Amino acid sequence: MAKVNLMGMNLGEIEELVSSLGERPFRARQLMKWIYEKGAESFAQMTDLSKELRERLDEVSYLDRMRLVKRADSRLDQAAKLLFELEDGKKVETVLIRESGRRTICLSTQVGCPLGCRFCATGKIGLRRNLKAGEIVDQVVEVERLSGEKPTNLVLMGMGEPLLNYEEVLKSLNIFNSSYGLGMGARKMILSTAGLVPQIERLAKEKIKIGLAISLNATTDRLRDWLMPINRKYPLREVLRAAKRFTQIRKRRITFEYLLIAGVNDSFDDATRLAKLVKGIPCKINLIPYNPIANIKFKRPDPQRVELFKRWLYPLTPTVTLRESKGRDIGAACGQLRALY
Ligand code: SF4
């Protein structure tokens, strides 16, 4: 019989496995702690399990851990980018950002991405495959093990569109949240989407109450169709309607991300339209100045224009923040991930 991979299994699945080995269910909780909290690499490390159980586990299962290929540390700020190799040799990137006492891990959910947003390096790769829940969870376990620092926040903003890998992403979020997994509060996790309307509606009704960010980046369908082709399927009006419904169901505001690209979407008219579009939706607008990417011709607006855009918006919308992406010098900032070395 083929061995099963324990990485990515939830409590119920591990309970089933230990029961099939004739063990009591509480052993599953011990196993969860070893796998997710302590980052064990082998059954031999699990010293509070009997030798016999460890041997039985070794016969029927294994722990597939990702392999660190390369690590780059930013000289500009406290960001580090880690390139991991998966079981099938494919690679993904994960970013650790240390800022004002917070340690945020930016996770990938797909190898590549099929949505092809024009400003994004990941989109240029196309989709290679979805990540499995174990591979999403292992990014956190490995970063924690390698850095020796417990994350305070998780953001699903790395490679891929998380809502296109819905089941595995949801499973990983539940493992992060579980007290037998990583014990991470749901409010400390944010999922960022390009605006997949049916999945946003589904996510609003899930038990796990994570935060939602929608990457808006344009204020007309014409421009958004061009910048983010997914807009042809789910146009702005539908995305905003889903966003509003999300806030009503969750009773929590959401974030709209707006990538500022010089001469493309940073005019006074853009700011006015943006304020109008989000009116009536409890939200925060996160402005992100564009980060340069090789072979993509867009430019970053100068700092004065960024400030001006923020000021144009400010009196009209409740909260506007300016997010300077970390790790620009190591290709770890928003839109720069491509897992190529
Ligand atoms: Fe995919 Fe996000 Fe990049 Fe768009 S911005 S191509 S959704 S990874």
Side-chain angles (χ1 to χ4, degrees):
M1 205 171 76
K3 288 188 178 189
V4 292
N5 179 11
L6 293 185
M7 270 315 289
M9 278 197 180
N10 57 28
L11 185 62
E13 289 166 332
I14 298 184
E15 273 175 354
E16 230 173 83
L17 179 81
V18 296
S19 307
S20 73
L21 300 177
E23 288 284 340
R24 308 255 303 280
F26 77 92
R27 294 286 178 210
R29 279 170 249 155
Q30 283 175 294
L31 260 170
M32 291 276 284
K33 291 258 176 208
W34 278 110
I35 300 168
Y36 301 121
E37 206 184 289
K38 299 179 190 168
E41 289 176 289
S42 70
F43 297 115
Q45 289 170 274
M46 305 181 183
T47 44
D48 58 356
L49 301 181
S50 69
K51 191 161 173 277
E52 196 196 344
L53 175 56
R54 282 183 269 152
E55 282 168 4
R56 286 289 291 127
L57 282 167
D58 204 18
E59 280 163 23
V60 298
S61 63
Y62 67 103
L63 274 170
D64 170 38
R65 294 257 176 232
M66 299 187 302
R67 193 173 68 82
L68 179 71
V69 177
K70 188 161 176 166
R71 173 182 176 150
D73 288 275
S74 171
R75 271 171 282 119
L76 297 176
D77 46 53
Q78 294 272 295
K81 181 169 77 166
L82 298 103
L83 178 75
F84 291 110
E85 187 176 44
L86 309 170
E87 202 179 11
D88 60 358
K90 295 199 168 45
K91 296 185 183 71
V92 284
E93 287 178 325
T94 309
V95 181
L96 168 66
I97 304 148
R98 301 180 196 89
E99 192 183 19
S100 356
R102 289 203 294 194
R103 288 171 306 282
T104 303
I105 300 182
C106 178
L107 297 170
S108 293
T109 53
Q110 297 183 306
V111 183
C113 178
L115 296 189
C117 301
R118 270 180 195 267
F119 46 79
C120 173
T122 310
K124 300 271 167 243
I125 305 171
L127 178 68
R128 303 283 163 86
R129 72 167 170 87
N130 283 334
L131 291 186
K132 290 178 250 159
E135 293 166 331
I136 300 170
V137 174
D138 203 17
Q139 293 173 63
V140 177
V141 178
E142 289 299 310
V143 171
E144 193 179 322
R145 207 165 57 83
L146 292 162
S147 66
E149 298 168 79
K150 254 200 161 340
T152 56
N153 298 71
L154 300 179
V155 292
L156 281 71
M157 298 182 183
M159 298 172 71
E161 163 56 60
L163 294 183
L164 281 178
N165 187 12
Y166 196 97
E167 302 301 337
E168 297 296 306
V169 164
L170 187 67
K171 191 175 180 195
S172 65
L173 291 171
N174 281 314
I175 293 172
F176 291 139
N177 186 230
S178 150
S179 54
Y180 303 116
L182 288 156
M184 173 74 64
R187 296 182 85 85
K188 301 282 180 192
M189 301 190 264
I190 297 176
L191 181 151
S192 173
T193 176
L196 275 74
V197 170
Q199 288 91 330
I200 292 174
E201 287 172 356
R202 187 174 162 196
L203 188 67
K205 293 174 198 138
E206 296 291 352
K207 245 187 173 159
I208 185 161
K209 308 268 181 270
I210 60 154
L212 179 71
I214 297 179
S215 190
L216 217 52
N217 310 326
T219 55
T220 62
D221 279 322
R222 193 152 172 252
L223 179 62
R224 202 165 188 268
D225 280 354
W226 182 70
L227 278 178
M228 304 175 72
I230 188 67
N231 194 68
R232 292 179 205 143
K233 191 164 181 193
Y234 304 116
L236 270 171
R237 202 159 43 97
E238 286 183 33
V239 173
L240 293 163
R241 209 186 295 140
K244 190 166 186 177
R245 269 201 300 273
F246 190 94
T247 62
Q248 287 165 342
I249 295 172
R250 286 297 181 79
K251 314 231 174 318
R252 179 182 174 182
R253 74 177 180 181
I254 64 161
T255 301
F256 288 113
E257 291 161 335
Y258 193 90
L259 194 64
L260 277 168
I261 310 173
V264 174
N265 63 357
D266 64 344
S267 70
F268 175 75
D269 285 350
D270 288 307
T272 323
R273 271 194 303 266
L274 179 57
K276 226 171 164 182
L277 285 176
V278 303
K279 198 165 181 253
I281 305 176
C283 70
K284 171 173 102 174
I285 296 180
N286 229 339
L287 299 176
I288 310 164
Y290 176 74
N291 299 300
I293 292 159
N295 303 325
I296 297 182
K297 286 209 175 86
F298 293 141
K299 286 205 182 78
R300 187 183 175 86
D302 59 48
Q304 292 85 342
R305 173 51 72 116
V306 173
E307 256 321 300
L308 206 56
F309 195 90
K310 192 177 164 195
R311 250 185 285 145
W312 286 331
L313 270 178
Y314 189 66
L316 303 167
T317 49
T319 315
V320 182
T321 51
L322 181 62
R323 194 177 90 208
E324 265 303 344
S325 289
K326 304 291 169 194
R328 268 196 288 151
D329 57 329
I330 51 169
C334 282
Q336 290 185 320
L337 300 185
R338 61 169 81 210
L340 290 178
Y341 278 89

PDB file of all heavy atoms in Angstrom, residues 50-74:
ATOM      1  N   SER A  50       5.030   6.243  21.472  1.00  0.00           N
ATOM      2  CA  SER A  50       5.764   5.000  21.729  1.00  0.00           C
ATOM      3  C   SER A  50       6.587   4.612  20.492  1.00  0.00           C
ATOM      4  O   SER A  50       6.235   4.981  19.361  1.00  0.00           O
ATOM      5  CB  SER A  50       4.779   3.874  22.058  1.00  0.00           C
ATOM      6  OG  SER A  50       4.049   3.548  20.887  1.00  0.00           O
ATOM      7  N   LYS A  51       7.646   3.872  20.729  1.00  0.00           N
ATOM      8  CA  LYS A  51       8.528   3.461  19.633  1.00  0.00           C
ATOM      9  C   LYS A  51       7.722   2.644  18.615  1.00  0.00           C
ATOM     10  O   LYS A  51       7.883   2.784  17.400  1.00  0.00           O
ATOM     11  CB  LYS A  51       9.691   2.640  20.201  1.00  0.00           C
ATOM     12  CG  LYS A  51      10.805   2.393  19.216  1.00  0.00           C
ATOM     13  CD  LYS A  51      12.085   2.015  19.951  1.00  0.00           C
ATOM     14  CE  LYS A  51      13.167   1.604  18.972  1.00  0.00           C
ATOM     15  NZ  LYS A  51      13.072   0.222  18.538  1.00  0.00           N
ATOM     16  N   GLU A  52       6.828   1.831  19.161  1.00  0.00           N
ATOM     17  CA  GLU A  52       6.018   0.957  18.304  1.00  0.00           C
ATOM     18  C   GLU A  52       5.125   1.791  17.366  1.00  0.00           C
ATOM     19  O   GLU A  52       5.046   1.517  16.167  1.00  0.00           O
ATOM     20  CB  GLU A  52       5.165   0.052  19.201  1.00  0.00           C
ATOM     21  CG  GLU A  52       4.598  -1.127  18.468  1.00  0.00           C
ATOM     22  CD  GLU A  52       3.464  -1.767  19.244  1.00  0.00           C
ATOM     23  OE1 GLU A  52       3.318  -1.500  20.457  1.00  0.00           O
ATOM     24  OE2 GLU A  52       2.690  -2.508  18.604  1.00  0.00           O
ATOM     25  N   LEU A  53       4.500   2.824  17.935  1.00  0.00           N
ATOM     26  CA  LEU A  53       3.640   3.669  17.097  1.00  0.00           C
ATOM     27  C   LEU A  53       4.479   4.403  16.035  1.00  0.00           C
ATOM     28  O   LEU A  53       4.070   4.523  14.877  1.00  0.00           O
ATOM     29  CB  LEU A  53       2.859   4.685  17.959  1.00  0.00           C
ATOM     30  CG  LEU A  53       2.015   5.710  17.187  1.00  0.00           C
ATOM     31  CD1 LEU A  53       1.008   5.038  16.254  1.00  0.00           C
ATOM     32  CD2 LEU A  53       1.284   6.663  18.126  1.00  0.00           C
ATOM     33  N   ARG A  54       5.638   4.890  16.437  1.00  0.00           N
ATOM     34  CA  ARG A  54       6.493   5.588  15.464  1.00  0.00           C
ATOM     35  C   ARG A  54       6.870   4.662  14.307  1.00  0.00           C
ATOM     36  O   ARG A  54       6.868   5.064  13.150  1.00  0.00           O
ATOM     37  CB  ARG A  54       7.751   6.123  16.163  1.00  0.00           C
ATOM     38  CG  ARG A  54       7.462   7.402  16.939  1.00  0.00           C
ATOM     39  CD  ARG A  54       8.718   7.953  17.553  1.00  0.00           C
ATOM     40  NE  ARG A  54       8.943   7.437  18.894  1.00  0.00           N
ATOM     41  CZ  ARG A  54      10.133   7.294  19.461  1.00  0.00           C
ATOM     42  NH1 ARG A  54      11.217   7.597  18.788  1.00  0.00           N
ATOM     43  NH2 ARG A  54      10.248   6.845  20.687  1.00  0.00           N
ATOM     44  N   GLU A  55       7.147   3.417  14.648  1.00  0.00           N
ATOM     45  CA  GLU A  55       7.511   2.464  13.590  1.00  0.00           C
ATOM     46  C   GLU A  55       6.321   2.178  12.674  1.00  0.00           C
ATOM     47  O   GLU A  55       6.455   2.099  11.456  1.00  0.00           O
ATOM     48  CB  GLU A  55       8.028   1.166  14.216  1.00  0.00           C
ATOM     49  CG  GLU A  55       9.470   1.300  14.697  1.00  0.00           C
ATOM     50  CD  GLU A  55       9.931   0.140  15.572  1.00  0.00           C
ATOM     51  OE1 GLU A  55       9.156  -0.836  15.765  1.00  0.00           O
ATOM     52  OE2 GLU A  55      11.053   0.227  16.072  1.00  0.00           O
ATOM     53  N   ARG A  56       5.133   2.050  13.274  1.00  0.00           N
ATOM     54  CA  ARG A  56       3.928   1.798  12.483  1.00  0.00           C
ATOM     55  C   ARG A  56       3.642   2.984  11.553  1.00  0.00           C
ATOM     56  O   ARG A  56       3.289   2.820  10.397  1.00  0.00           O
ATOM     57  CB  ARG A  56       2.712   1.575  13.419  1.00  0.00           C
ATOM     58  CG  ARG A  56       2.703   0.258  14.122  1.00  0.00           C
ATOM     59  CD  ARG A  56       2.403  -0.923  13.196  1.00  0.00           C
ATOM     60  NE  ARG A  56       1.016  -0.944  12.703  1.00  0.00           N
ATOM     61  CZ  ARG A  56       0.666  -1.019  11.424  1.00  0.00           C
ATOM     62  NH1 ARG A  56       1.592  -1.053  10.492  1.00  0.00           N
ATOM     63  NH2 ARG A  56      -0.593  -1.071  11.074  1.00  0.00           N
ATOM     64  N   LEU A  57       3.812   4.197  12.120  1.00  0.00           N
ATOM     65  CA  LEU A  57       3.586   5.410  11.313  1.00  0.00           C
ATOM     66  C   LEU A  57       4.559   5.457  10.136  1.00  0.00           C
ATOM     67  O   LEU A  57       4.185   5.812   9.024  1.00  0.00           O
ATOM     68  CB  LEU A  57       3.769   6.669  12.177  1.00  0.00           C
ATOM     69  CG  LEU A  57       2.610   7.019  13.105  1.00  0.00           C
ATOM     70  CD1 LEU A  57       3.023   8.082  14.118  1.00  0.00           C
ATOM     71  CD2 LEU A  57       1.387   7.511  12.315  1.00  0.00           C
ATOM     72  N   ASP A  58       5.779   5.088  10.412  1.00  0.00           N
ATOM     73  CA  ASP A  58       6.805   5.094   9.372  1.00  0.00           C
ATOM     74  C   ASP A  58       6.473   4.106   8.246  1.00  0.00           C
ATOM     75  O   ASP A  58       6.813   4.331   7.087  1.00  0.00           O
ATOM     76  CB  ASP A  58       8.148   4.735  10.024  1.00  0.00           C
ATOM     77  CG  ASP A  58       9.300   5.284   9.207  1.00  0.00           C
ATOM     78  OD1 ASP A  58       9.059   6.181   8.377  1.00  0.00           O
ATOM     79  OD2 ASP A  58      10.425   4.794   9.376  1.00  0.00           O
ATOM     80  N   GLU A  59       5.786   3.027   8.624  1.00  0.00           N
ATOM     81  CA  GLU A  59       5.421   2.022   7.607  1.00  0.00           C
ATOM     82  C   GLU A  59       4.315   2.524   6.679  1.00  0.00           C
ATOM     83  O   GLU A  59       4.292   2.214   5.495  1.00  0.00           O
ATOM     84  CB  GLU A  59       4.910   0.740   8.287  1.00  0.00           C
ATOM     85  CG  GLU A  59       6.020  -0.165   8.809  1.00  0.00           C
ATOM     86  CD  GLU A  59       5.478  -1.174   9.811  1.00  0.00           C
ATOM     87  OE1 GLU A  59       4.251  -1.475   9.775  1.00  0.00           O
ATOM     88  OE2 GLU A  59       6.273  -1.648  10.638  1.00  0.00           O
ATOM     89  N   VAL A  60       3.374   3.313   7.250  1.00  0.00           N
ATOM     90  CA  VAL A  60       2.195   3.677   6.444  1.00  0.00           C
ATOM     91  C   VAL A  60       2.179   5.123   5.968  1.00  0.00           C
ATOM     92  O   VAL A  60       1.336   5.513   5.156  1.00  0.00           O
ATOM     93  CB  VAL A  60       0.874   3.400   7.226  1.00  0.00           C
ATOM     94  CG1 VAL A  60       0.725   1.932   7.552  1.00  0.00           C
ATOM     95  CG2 VAL A  60       0.775   4.252   8.486  1.00  0.00           C
ATOM     96  N   SER A  61       3.063   5.957   6.524  1.00  0.00           N
ATOM     97  CA  SER A  61       2.980   7.382   6.165  1.00  0.00           C
ATOM     98  C   SER A  61       4.372   8.018   6.093  1.00  0.00           C
ATOM     99  O   SER A  61       5.368   7.408   6.462  1.00  0.00           O
ATOM    100  CB  SER A  61       2.128   8.126   7.196  1.00  0.00           C
ATOM    101  OG  SER A  61       2.753   8.056   8.470  1.00  0.00           O
ATOM    102  N   TYR A  62       4.399   9.269   5.635  1.00  0.00           N
ATOM    103  CA  TYR A  62       5.658  10.023   5.605  1.00  0.00           C
ATOM    104  C   TYR A  62       5.347  11.502   5.751  1.00  0.00           C
ATOM    105  O   TYR A  62       4.193  11.928   5.636  1.00  0.00           O
ATOM    106  CB  TYR A  62       6.432   9.749   4.299  1.00  0.00           C
ATOM    107  CG  TYR A  62       5.753  10.280   3.043  1.00  0.00           C
ATOM    108  CD1 TYR A  62       6.201  11.441   2.422  1.00  0.00           C
ATOM    109  CD2 TYR A  62       4.662   9.627   2.482  1.00  0.00           C
ATOM    110  CE1 TYR A  62       5.582  11.931   1.277  1.00  0.00           C
ATOM    111  CE2 TYR A  62       4.036  10.108   1.338  1.00  0.00           C
ATOM    112  CZ  TYR A  62       4.504  11.261   0.746  1.00  0.00           C
ATOM    113  OH  TYR A  62       3.886  11.742  -0.383  1.00  0.00           O
ATOM    114  N   LEU A  63       6.403  12.258   6.010  1.00  0.00           N
ATOM    115  CA  LEU A  63       6.257  13.710   6.172  1.00  0.00           C
ATOM    116  C   LEU A  63       6.992  14.390   5.028  1.00  0.00           C
ATOM    117  O   LEU A  63       8.213  14.376   4.986  1.00  0.00           O
ATOM    118  CB  LEU A  63       6.907  14.149   7.490  1.00  0.00           C
ATOM    119  CG  LEU A  63       6.059  14.077   8.738  1.00  0.00           C
ATOM    120  CD1 LEU A  63       6.930  14.310   9.958  1.00  0.00           C
ATOM    121  CD2 LEU A  63       4.944  15.101   8.688  1.00  0.00           C
ATOM    122  N   ASP A  64       6.247  14.951   4.099  1.00  0.00           N
ATOM    123  CA  ASP A  64       6.894  15.592   2.961  1.00  0.00           C
ATOM    124  C   ASP A  64       7.172  17.053   3.297  1.00  0.00           C
ATOM    125  O   ASP A  64       6.257  17.869   3.343  1.00  0.00           O
ATOM    126  CB  ASP A  64       5.982  15.496   1.728  1.00  0.00           C
ATOM    127  CG  ASP A  64       6.514  16.358   0.597  1.00  0.00           C
ATOM    128  OD1 ASP A  64       7.742  16.405   0.447  1.00  0.00           O
ATOM    129  OD2 ASP A  64       5.704  16.989  -0.107  1.00  0.00           O
ATOM    130  N   ARG A  65       8.399  17.379   3.541  1.00  0.00           N
ATOM    131  CA  ARG A  65       8.776  18.764   3.835  1.00  0.00           C
ATOM    132  C   ARG A  65       9.406  19.394   2.599  1.00  0.00           C
ATOM    133  O   ARG A  65      10.098  18.727   1.831  1.00  0.00           O
ATOM    134  CB  ARG A  65       9.801  18.796   4.976  1.00  0.00           C
ATOM    135  CG  ARG A  65       9.220  18.324   6.289  1.00  0.00           C
ATOM    136  CD  ARG A  65       8.924  19.521   7.161  1.00  0.00           C
ATOM    137  NE  ARG A  65       8.289  19.138   8.399  1.00  0.00           N
ATOM    138  CZ  ARG A  65       7.166  19.678   8.843  1.00  0.00           C
ATOM    139  NH1 ARG A  65       6.548  20.581   8.157  1.00  0.00           N
ATOM    140  NH2 ARG A  65       6.657  19.297   9.991  1.00  0.00           N
ATOM    141  N   MET A  66       9.181  20.690   2.427  1.00  0.00           N
ATOM    142  CA  MET A  66       9.773  21.374   1.274  1.00  0.00           C
ATOM    143  C   MET A  66      11.264  21.594   1.530  1.00  0.00           C
ATOM    144  O   MET A  66      11.701  21.626   2.672  1.00  0.00           O
ATOM    145  CB  MET A  66       9.104  22.731   1.085  1.00  0.00           C
ATOM    146  CG  MET A  66       7.632  22.606   0.830  1.00  0.00           C
ATOM    147  SD  MET A  66       6.903  24.191   0.414  1.00  0.00           S
ATOM    148  CE  MET A  66       7.316  25.141   1.824  1.00  0.00           C
ATOM    149  N   ARG A  67      11.993  21.773   0.451  1.00  0.00           N
ATOM    150  CA  ARG A  67      13.438  21.967   0.592  1.00  0.00           C
ATOM    151  C   ARG A  67      13.767  23.427   0.274  1.00  0.00           C
ATOM    152  O   ARG A  67      13.336  23.956  -0.760  1.00  0.00           O
ATOM    153  CB  ARG A  67      14.133  21.046  -0.416  1.00  0.00           C
ATOM    154  CG  ARG A  67      15.610  20.878  -0.219  1.00  0.00           C
ATOM    155  CD  ARG A  67      16.137  19.817  -1.164  1.00  0.00           C
ATOM    156  NE  ARG A  67      16.081  20.243  -2.555  1.00  0.00           N
ATOM    157  CZ  ARG A  67      16.990  21.020  -3.153  1.00  0.00           C
ATOM    158  NH1 ARG A  67      18.025  21.448  -2.468  1.00  0.00           N
ATOM    159  NH2 ARG A  67      16.871  21.356  -4.417  1.00  0.00           N
ATOM    160  N   LEU A  68      14.503  24.074   1.172  1.00  0.00           N
ATOM    161  CA  LEU A  68      14.908  25.462   0.918  1.00  0.00           C
ATOM    162  C   LEU A  68      16.006  25.469  -0.140  1.00  0.00           C
ATOM    163  O   LEU A  68      17.031  24.816   0.006  1.00  0.00           O
ATOM    164  CB  LEU A  68      15.425  26.123   2.203  1.00  0.00           C
ATOM    165  CG  LEU A  68      15.895  27.562   2.040  1.00  0.00           C
ATOM    166  CD1 LEU A  68      14.720  28.509   1.801  1.00  0.00           C
ATOM    167  CD2 LEU A  68      16.706  28.026   3.237  1.00  0.00           C
ATOM    168  N   VAL A  69      15.770  26.196  -1.235  1.00  0.00           N
ATOM    169  CA  VAL A  69      16.750  26.256  -2.318  1.00  0.00           C
ATOM    170  C   VAL A  69      17.609  27.504  -2.168  1.00  0.00           C
ATOM    171  O   VAL A  69      18.817  27.495  -2.352  1.00  0.00           O
ATOM    172  CB  VAL A  69      16.046  26.286  -3.696  1.00  0.00           C
ATOM    173  CG1 VAL A  69      17.047  26.417  -4.824  1.00  0.00           C
ATOM    174  CG2 VAL A  69      15.196  25.050  -3.874  1.00  0.00           C
ATOM    175  N   LYS A  70      16.948  28.600  -1.835  1.00  0.00           N
ATOM    176  CA  LYS A  70      17.698  29.853  -1.738  1.00  0.00           C
ATOM    177  C   LYS A  70      16.978  30.818  -0.810  1.00  0.00           C
ATOM    178  O   LYS A  70      15.753  30.834  -0.744  1.00  0.00           O
ATOM    179  CB  LYS A  70      17.812  30.468  -3.134  1.00  0.00           C
ATOM    180  CG  LYS A  70      18.717  31.662  -3.173  1.00  0.00           C
ATOM    181  CD  LYS A  70      19.167  31.949  -4.589  1.00  0.00           C
ATOM    182  CE  LYS A  70      20.004  33.218  -4.565  1.00  0.00           C
ATOM    183  NZ  LYS A  70      20.747  33.398  -5.771  1.00  0.00           N
ATOM    184  N   ARG A  71      17.775  31.633  -0.138  1.00  0.00           N
ATOM    185  CA  ARG A  71      17.200  32.666   0.712  1.00  0.00           C
ATOM    186  C   ARG A  71      17.857  33.993   0.365  1.00  0.00           C
ATOM    187  O   ARG A  71      19.063  34.057   0.163  1.00  0.00           O
ATOM    188  CB  ARG A  71      17.477  32.316   2.177  1.00  0.00           C
ATOM    189  CG  ARG A  71      17.059  33.413   3.124  1.00  0.00           C
ATOM    190  CD  ARG A  71      17.384  33.084   4.555  1.00  0.00           C
ATOM    191  NE  ARG A  71      17.035  34.248   5.356  1.00  0.00           N
ATOM    192  CZ  ARG A  71      16.644  34.216   6.595  1.00  0.00           C
ATOM    193  NH1 ARG A  71      16.558  33.077   7.216  1.00  0.00           N
ATOM    194  NH2 ARG A  71      16.338  35.317   7.252  1.00  0.00           N
ATOM    195  N   ALA A  72      17.050  35.037   0.230  1.00  0.00           N
ATOM    196  CA  ALA A  72      17.606  36.368  -0.042  1.00  0.00           C
ATOM    197  C   ALA A  72      17.094  37.320   1.025  1.00  0.00           C
ATOM    198  O   ALA A  72      15.898  37.344   1.310  1.00  0.00           O
ATOM    199  CB  ALA A  72      17.166  36.838  -1.427  1.00  0.00           C
ATOM    200  N   ASP A  73      18.003  38.085   1.624  1.00  0.00           N
ATOM    201  CA  ASP A  73      17.614  39.052   2.655  1.00  0.00           C
ATOM    202  C   ASP A  73      17.738  40.460   2.095  1.00  0.00           C
ATOM    203  O   ASP A  73      18.753  40.803   1.500  1.00  0.00           O
ATOM    204  CB  ASP A  73      18.502  38.892   3.891  1.00  0.00           C
ATOM    205  CG  ASP A  73      18.154  37.613   4.639  1.00  0.00           C
ATOM    206  OD1 ASP A  73      17.228  37.642   5.454  1.00  0.00           O
ATOM    207  OD2 ASP A  73      18.798  36.579   4.369  1.00  0.00           O
ATOM    208  N   SER A  74      16.718  41.269   2.300  1.00  0.00           N
ATOM    209  CA  SER A  74      16.719  42.624   1.764  1.00  0.00           C
ATOM    210  C   SER A  74      17.731  43.507   2.494  1.00  0.00           C
ATOM    211  O   SER A  74      17.906  43.389   3.693  1.00  0.00           O
ATOM    212  CB  SER A  74      15.318  43.225   1.906  1.00  0.00           C
ATOM    213  OG  SER A  74      15.345  44.584   1.594  1.00  0.00           O
TER     214      SER A  74
END
